[in-house]
Amino acid sequence: MLPRTPEGRASIVPSPPWHYSGDVLTIEYRTDPANVEALLPPGVALADEDPGAVAIIWADWQSCSDSLEELIDPVRSQYKEAFVVVRCAYAGEIYSRCVYIWVDKDFALARGWYQGYPKKFGSIWMTRPISVGRAGPRLGSGEVFGATLQANDRRLAEARLTLSGGSETAGFVNALPMLHSRWMPSIEKDDGDSLAELVTMRSRDVDLGPAFTGEADIRLFDAPGEELAALEPSEMIAGYWRQVGATFDGGSRLA
Amino acid sequence: MLPRTPEGRASIVPSPPWHYSGDVLTIEYRTDPANVEALLPPGVALADEDPGAVAIIWADWQSCSDSLEELIDPVRSQYKEAFVVVRCAYAGEIYSRCVYIWVDKDFALARGWYQGYPKKFGSIWMTRPISVGRAGPRLGSGEVFGATLQANDRRLAEARLTLSGGSETAGFVNALPMLHSRWMPSIEKDDGDSLAELVTMRSRDVDLGPAFTGEADIRLFDAPGEELAALEPSEMIAGYWRQVGATFDGGSRLA
Amino acid sequence: MLPRTPEGRASIVPSPPWHYSGDVLTIEYRTDPANVEALLPPGVALADEDPGAVAIIWADWQSCSDSLEELIDPVRSQYKEAFVVVRCAYAGEIYSRCVYIWVDKDFALARGWYQGYPKKFGSIWMTRPISVGRAGPRLGSGEVFGATLQANDRRLAEARLTLSGGSETAGFVNALPMLHSRWMPSIEKDDGDSLAELVTMRSRDVDLGPAFTGEADIRLFDAPGEELAALEPSEMIAGYWRQVGATFDGGSRLA
Amino acid sequence: MLPRTPEGRASIVPSPPWHYSGDVLTIEYRTDPANVEALLPPGVALADEDPGAVAIIWADWQSCSDSLEELIDPVRSQYKEAFVVVRCAYAGEIYSRCVYIWVDKDFALARGWYQGYPKKFGSIWMTRPISVGRAGPRLGSGEVFGATLQANDRRLAEARLTLSGGSETAGFVNALPMLHSRWMPSIEKDDGDSLAELVTMRSRDVDLGPAFTGEADIRLFDAPGEELAALEPSEMIAGYWRQVGATFDGGSRLA
């Protein structure tokens, strides 16, 4: 990645593989499928089943390269993100696709651009479960978690999850291989894209903690420079909380 | 606290009690006792035993008032801090005393000023233990944690803790009731202090997770506007990691 | 101020005098005087004339102590603030009084607490006038300035000022000596305040640039932990822009 | 740019042209030309004259698209950056080339990646000249400006400029058309780059304020994840301060 330097250690992000361990809070709901379709690029179609399903996911990650060196300088390994996933169909397969995402560190933004996640900057917060004291929910029935997203000094989303118990899964919208677009417009005016790829990737070495589910609520707020609020919920599905570990080590170019 | 408003809900911090749950990483070492003595106010003396002992503590807290409402708007409940504790003697008792502290939220700063913690702003990071995946240490022998502190765009401290196993305690320097000074200079020039109190406090409802100990290393860096580096280590003692829950509900004025 | 240290250079803010130079955008309007009265402490009354007048002021400051050393380490000298001023009567005099204020640096927050400004943290932005290029307004008729305030990841206020021409003044609400309260509650529960002073101060060595005025608009947004939106405008007065230099060097205790 | 959405207004940055107005502080010095050469990609050579010349530039910008709408929501128009420029030769022409750059807003980072500026995030501060009061330098002989850069909680650079008087130019290192590389590695492992272009661009509608020059000093600090300190000064040239307005409206692909 950039910048390219004599020793290679100034890159905004070191080379993959990249390892992740973190807390993931997922809110699933349905919107009018037309809202999803409007976000898909040419050649990519709505999923046949439940085409209006949306997942908005908050994650608090610790991540590192194979050197592990970022882990003891945690300003370079910890970050939070909030992202929106829909499903779609391409060449006979069903994929998950990230349509919006906000992160709070530059190395995470750069990894996203590399992978086709359309990352912007935001301020992301999510309640943490606790095991001592009183300042937080426990991972059990009736406990409540909140999550918020702000960008450019406006709150864009806030969610609430009230746990009802354990769960087999942590949702279905973000459970498929990702289908992402890597785009970079030409430096010449009116000259289209210099990079326009359709890629797919999925994590390896996935290591999941126990999943919890419950009733979810979400509010989206409009803002200049954002279109997130157009994905308005017509029906809530559920919310989930789970710890997730995974490794990313490259993907495949489809087109 | 300020501001005082019709409904009382705009205060920088709601009224106590305040509940805390978080991760606490403690590094203990010895410095020349003269360095500690230079930080004590008149009438407060060095502790008789081990007078040069210092604890530098990183904490990642979730906190709330009795309403618990901050927990679901976590931008108002989560914060990190790094602080320096020494021991001292006053009126025949031995106390812990915080001589420097940096936090990253205004509500935490205001609580500190109320309690006599001399809080300033900083950027604080500490490695988190994980239970899934590969991006972090586990709570076990040989695992390594890092912690850093930055203020005014300069790194002030970085620490490393390599766990060797479980521990009965999480250190001794920060284990006593606190002896703090609440100072506010007069608005009139050359008129001394309008507020100058010596207060003591200790937490209640302390709820401790398992403690871990290991070999610790710390580096302090000099900076304009800081004197932390004067507390240079002459001998490392140990490091500790533990989850801590506690409630603060007021203290006592001693003088 | 805190912390008090051997060399005195670790204080969150150096000793006064403090010098300020900056851009100041003022929006004046009227609200129901009952909204102002509700913010005044006992013994302080509404002003007789125009008691519902409010000024919301955005300022982008460079500031320093007498050493001037902060000026070449500008992370320690530059800050922005947004604050709300009303007028009030005390002991037969009319004063200006700051009822809400948000800043973005800790040294500025500490100075505010010392002076009786009820400072909290926020993110403050204001359009800058330009003299080259096209990316901004000039200081002339028809040019438009914006200003925004965010705290705890919610936008609290946004203002717009369209200049119509030069002005003799930059408003009247913030033009009087300040009447502020310095409050610190007791560390003991249910024991009132340890510090409760009424103080007054005014700047010296005031050095004003040309003033500009124009039509103003302001929107206030409600938020948990804030009561700013209660000061809703019933009638706009005007807006102003001016560069201001001043020195603060202490005040007087009135009660 | 990303994300691509139904209304096109959620893009991390609107379409060019982009207009800029701001303050620019430039520090020029010489390093061992081998340090510059090590940063040039294959096919790009050192400049014949003064090949070790380096400019480190701090800029405080206000910027906008043709809609100008960002100007009244200044969180979306103001940003600061610090960047390092060298000169180089390609196909018989001499160019300026940015080898490192740090910015503090995501829209600026995205514009940079589009243009071939290898942008990362940092905290950038520079002294502002004043025209009222005492808290800053004036634009005149003997006045001193500071500038600093921090990333990942470590200070990377600090500079000082003492003005001696007016100047015809604001330096020569950053005065040529830019020669930049736009790189994006393949999503497939060990598969080289999906995008690897050499592009050139220069601003139009350049509108310059009076230039000032003086004696300059710079210090670079090493850090993990950075190689800036390798560009160590062997000889200072001079420093400059100037207000600059310009418009970017696309470039040309060279290879």
Side-chain angles (χ1 to χ4, degrees):
Chain A
M1 298 284 276
L2 301 167
R4 297 197 176 172
T5 56
E7 299 179 29
R9 64 181 172 90
S11 171
I12 191 169
V13 54
S15 297
W18 301 320
H19 309 293
Y20 303 76
S21 295
D23 295 355
V24 179
L25 183 154
T26 300
I27 307 286
E28 294 193 338
Y29 66 88
R30 293 184 182 91
T31 189
D32 183 336
N35 295 331
V36 174
E37 194 166 22
L39 286 161
L40 302 178
V44 177
L46 285 174
D48 285 339
E49 281 187 49
D50 214 347
V54 176
I56 303 193
I57 302 165
W58 276 260
D60 188 355
W61 294 113
Q62 198 160 251
S63 72
C64 60
S65 65
D66 253 4
S67 77
L68 307 184
E69 71 170 64
E70 302 91 342
L71 295 176
I72 52 164
D73 191 21
V75 66
R76 296 190 289 142
S77 70
Q78 294 177 11
Y79 70 103
K80 290 179 280 190
E81 62 189 4
F83 59 110
V84 182
V85 174
V86 299
R87 290 168 315 134
C88 59
Y90 175 75
E93 299 289 332
I94 305 298
Y95 293 92
S96 298
R97 180 176 176 90
C98 176
V99 293
Y100 296 115
I101 179 165
W102 294 261
V103 298
D104 60 8
K105 288 280 174 72
D106 65 349
F107 67 84
L109 186 141
R111 291 198 300 217
W113 284 47
Y114 169 74
Q115 296 171 315
Y117 283 90
K119 290 190 179 182
K120 303 202 286 191
F121 261 67
S123 173
I124 296 107
W125 293 93
M126 52 192 290
T127 308
R128 282 200 297 259
I130 59 167
S131 53
V132 295
R134 299 173 55 191
R138 308 278 167 140
L139 287 167
S141 180
E143 302 280 302
V144 185
F145 292 71
T148 63
L149 168 64
Q150 180 257 100
N152 286 316
D153 282 2
R154 287 179 179 88
R155 185 162 287 200
L156 300 183
E158 54 191 39
R160 194 176 298 201
L161 168 61
T162 304
L163 295 187
S164 56
S167 173
E168 285 302 301
T169 77
F172 68 98
V173 179
N174 191 35
L176 303 166
M178 307 303 297
L179 182 78
H180 283 166
S181 297
R182 305 203 317 158
W183 281 310
M184 181 57 74
S186 171
I187 196 71
E188 312 228 7
K189 289 195 73 168
D190 309 317
D191 196 36
D193 286 312
S194 292
L195 176 69
E197 292 181 349
L198 208 52
V199 301
T200 187
M201 67 202 68
R202 69 182 315 162
S203 297
R204 67 165 166 81
D205 299 344
V206 175
D207 182 13
L208 300 172
F212 300 85
T213 188
E215 190 179 354
D217 179 49
I218 195 157
R219 298 174 65 198
L220 306 177
F221 306 100
D222 200 13
E226 305 292 350
E227 297 176 49
L228 173 61
L231 281 173
E232 57 183 346
S234 58
E235 177 192 4
M236 296 307 299
I237 299 174
Y240 306 91
W241 192 97
R242 179 179 244 177
Q243 288 191 316
V244 174
T247 292
F248 170 87
D249 197 17
S252 302
R253 184 170 176 271
L254 297 179
Chain B
M1 298 286 274
L2 300 167
R4 297 197 175 172
T5 55
E7 299 179 29
R9 65 183 172 90
S11 171
I12 191 169
V13 55
S15 296
W18 302 320
H19 309 293
Y20 302 77
S21 296
D23 294 356
V24 180
L25 183 155
T26 300
I27 307 286
E28 293 193 339
Y29 67 88
R30 293 185 182 91
T31 190
D32 183 335
N35 296 331
V36 174
E37 192 166 25
L39 285 161
L40 302 178
V44 178
L46 285 174
D48 285 339
E49 280 187 49
D50 216 345
V54 176
I56 303 192
I57 301 164
W58 276 260
D60 188 356
W61 294 114
Q62 200 161 250
S63 72
C64 61
S65 64
D66 253 4
S67 77
L68 307 183
E69 72 171 65
E70 302 91 343
L71 294 176
I72 53 165
D73 191 20
V75 66
R76 296 190 287 142
S77 71
Q78 294 176 12
Y79 71 103
K80 289 181 281 191
E81 64 188 4
F83 59 109
V84 182
V85 174
V86 298
R87 289 170 314 135
C88 59
Y90 175 75
E93 301 288 330
I94 306 298
Y95 293 92
S96 298
R97 180 175 176 91
C98 176
V99 293
Y100 296 115
I101 179 165
W102 294 263
V103 298
D104 60 9
K105 289 279 175 71
D106 65 349
F107 68 83
L109 187 141
R111 292 198 299 218
W113 283 47
Y114 169 73
Q115 296 171 316
Y117 284 90
K119 290 190 178 182
K120 303 203 286 192
F121 261 68
S123 173
I124 295 107
W125 293 92
M126 50 192 290
T127 309
R128 283 201 296 259
I130 60 168
S131 53
V132 295
R134 299 171 55 190
R138 308 277 167 141
L139 286 168
S141 181
E143 302 280 302
V144 185
F145 292 72
T148 63
L149 168 65
Q150 180 257 102
N152 286 316
D153 282 3
R154 288 180 178 88
R155 184 161 289 200
L156 300 184
E158 55 190 39
R160 194 176 298 200
L161 168 61
T162 305
L163 295 187
S164 55
S167 173
E168 286 300 302
T169 77
F172 68 99
V173 180
N174 191 34
L176 303 166
M178 307 303 298
L179 182 77
H180 283 165
S181 297
R182 305 204 316 158
W183 281 310
M184 181 57 75
S186 171
I187 197 71
E188 312 228 7
K189 289 196 74 170
D190 309 317
D191 195 36
D193 286 313
S194 292
L195 176 70
E197 293 180 349
L198 207 53
V199 300
T200 188
M201 69 201 68
R202 67 182 315 160
S203 298
R204 65 166 167 81
D205 298 345
V206 176
D207 182 15
L208 300 172
F212 300 85
T213 187
E215 190 178 355
D217 179 49
I218 195 157
R219 298 174 64 199
L220 306 178
F221 306 99
D222 200 13
E226 304 292 351
E227 296 176 49
L228 173 61
L231 281 172
E232 57 183 347
S234 58
E235 178 192 3
M236 296 308 298
I237 299 174
Y240 305 91
W241 192 96
R242 179 179 244 177
Q243 288 190 318
V244 174
T247 292
F248 171 86
D249 197 17
S252 303
R253 184 170 177 269
L254 296 179
Chain C
M1 297 285 274
L2 301 167
R4 298 196 176 174
T5 56
E7 299 178 30
R9 65 183 173 90
S11 171
I12 190 169
V13 55
S15 296
W18 302 320
H19 309 293
Y20 302 77
S21 296
D23 295 355
V24 180
L25 184 156
T26 300
I27 307 287
E28 294 193 338
Y29 66 88
R30 293 187 180 91
T31 190
D32 183 336
N35 296 331
V36 174
E37 193 166 24
L39 285 161
L40 302 179
V44 178
L46 286 174
D48 285 339
E49 281 187 49
D50 215 347
V54 176
I56 303 193
I57 301 164
W58 275 260
D60 188 355
W61 294 114
Q62 198 160 250
S63 72
C64 61
S65 65
D66 252 4
S67 77
L68 308 183
E69 72 170 65
E70 302 91 343
L71 295 176
I72 53 165
D73 190 22
V75 65
R76 295 190 288 141
S77 70
Q78 294 176 11
Y79 70 103
K80 288 179 281 189
E81 62 188 5
F83 59 109
V84 182
V85 174
V86 299
R87 290 170 314 135
C88 60
Y90 175 75
E93 301 288 332
I94 305 299
Y95 293 92
S96 298
R97 181 176 176 89
C98 176
V99 293
Y100 297 114
I101 179 165
W102 293 262
V103 298
D104 60 8
K105 287 280 173 69
D106 65 349
F107 67 85
L109 188 140
R111 291 198 301 217
W113 284 46
Y114 169 73
Q115 296 171 314
Y117 283 90
K119 290 190 177 181
K120 304 203 285 190
F121 262 67
S123 173
I124 295 108
W125 293 92
M126 52 192 289
T127 309
R128 281 200 297 260
I130 60 168
S131 53
V132 295
R134 300 172 56 192
R138 307 279 166 139
L139 286 168
S141 180
E143 302 281 301
V144 186
F145 293 72
T148 62
L149 168 65
Q150 181 256 103
N152 285 317
D153 281 4
R154 288 179 179 90
R155 184 161 289 199
L156 300 184
E158 55 191 38
R160 193 176 299 200
L161 167 62
T162 305
L163 295 188
S164 55
S167 173
E168 286 300 302
T169 76
F172 67 99
V173 180
N174 192 35
L176 302 166
M178 307 303 299
L179 182 78
H180 283 165
S181 297
R182 306 204 315 158
W183 282 309
M184 181 57 75
S186 171
I187 197 71
E188 312 229 7
K189 290 194 74 170
D190 308 317
D191 195 36
D193 286 313
S194 292
L195 176 69
E197 292 180 349
L198 208 53
V199 300
T200 188
M201 68 202 68
R202 68 182 314 161
S203 298
R204 67 165 167 81
D205 298 345
V206 176
D207 182 15
L208 300 173
F212 299 85
T213 188
E215 191 178 355
D217 179 50
I218 195 157
R219 298 174 64 199
L220 306 178
F221 306 100
D222 200 14
E226 305 292 351
E227 297 176 50
L228 173 61
L231 281 173
E232 56 183 348
S234 57
E235 178 192 2
M236 296 307 299
I237 299 174
Y240 305 92
W241 192 97
R242 180 180 242 176
Q243 288 190 317
V244 174
T247 291
F248 170 86
D249 197 18
S252 302
R253 184 169 178 270
L254 297 180
Chain D
M1 298 284 275
L2 301 168
R4 297 195 177 175
T5 56
E7 299 178 28
R9 64 181 172 91
S11 171
I12 190 169
V13 55
S15 296
W18 302 319
H19 308 293
Y20 302 76
S21 296
D23 295 355
V24 179
L25 183 156
T26 300
I27 307 285
E28 294 193 338
Y29 66 87
R30 294 185 181 91
T31 190
D32 182 336
N35 296 331
V36 174
E37 193 166 25
L39 285 161
L40 301 178
V44 177
L46 284 174
D48 284 340
E49 281 186 48
D50 214 347
V54 176
I56 304 193
I57 301 164
W58 275 259
D60 188 355
W61 295 112
Q62 199 161 251
S63 73
C64 60
S65 65
D66 253 4
S67 77
L68 307 184
E69 71 170 66
E70 302 90 343
L71 294 177
I72 53 165
D73 190 21
V75 66
R76 296 190 288 142
S77 71
Q78 294 177 10
Y79 71 102
K80 289 180 281 189
E81 62 189 5
F83 59 110
V84 182
V85 174
V86 299
R87 289 170 314 134
C88 59
Y90 175 75
E93 301 287 333
I94 306 298
Y95 293 91
S96 297
R97 180 176 176 90
C98 176
V99 293
Y100 297 115
I101 179 166
W102 293 261
V103 298
D104 60 8
K105 288 280 174 71
D106 65 349
F107 67 85
L109 187 141
R111 291 198 301 217
W113 283 47
Y114 169 74
Q115 296 170 317
Y117 284 90
K119 289 189 179 182
K120 304 203 285 191
F121 261 67
S123 173
I124 296 106
W125 293 92
M126 51 193 290
T127 309
R128 282 200 298 259
I130 59 167
S131 54
V132 295
R134 300 171 56 188
R138 308 277 167 141
L139 286 168
S141 180
E143 302 281 301
V144 186
F145 292 71
T148 63
L149 168 65
Q150 180 256 103
N152 285 316
D153 282 1
R154 287 178 179 90
R155 184 162 289 200
L156 300 182
E158 55 191 36
R160 193 177 298 201
L161 168 61
T162 304
L163 294 187
S164 56
S167 173
E168 286 301 302
T169 76
F172 67 98
V173 180
N174 192 35
L176 303 166
M178 307 303 299
L179 182 77
H180 282 166
S181 297
R182 305 203 317 157
W183 281 310
M184 182 56 76
S186 172
I187 197 71
E188 312 228 7
K189 289 195 75 168
D190 309 318
D191 195 36
D193 286 313
S194 292
L195 176 69
E197 293 180 349
L198 208 54
V199 300
T200 188
M201 69 202 67
R202 68 181 314 160
S203 297
R204 67 165 166 80
D205 298 345
V206 175
D207 182 14
L208 300 173
F212 300 84
T213 188
E215 191 179 354
D217 179 50
I218 196 158
R219 299 174 64 197
L220 306 177
F221 305 100
D222 200 14
E226 305 291 351
E227 297 176 50
L228 173 62
L231 281 172
E232 57 183 347
S234 58
E235 178 192 2
M236 297 306 299
I237 299 173
Y240 304 92
W241 192 96
R242 179 179 244 176
Q243 288 191 318
V244 174
T247 291
F248 171 88
D249 196 18
S252 302
R253 184 170 177 271
L254 298 178

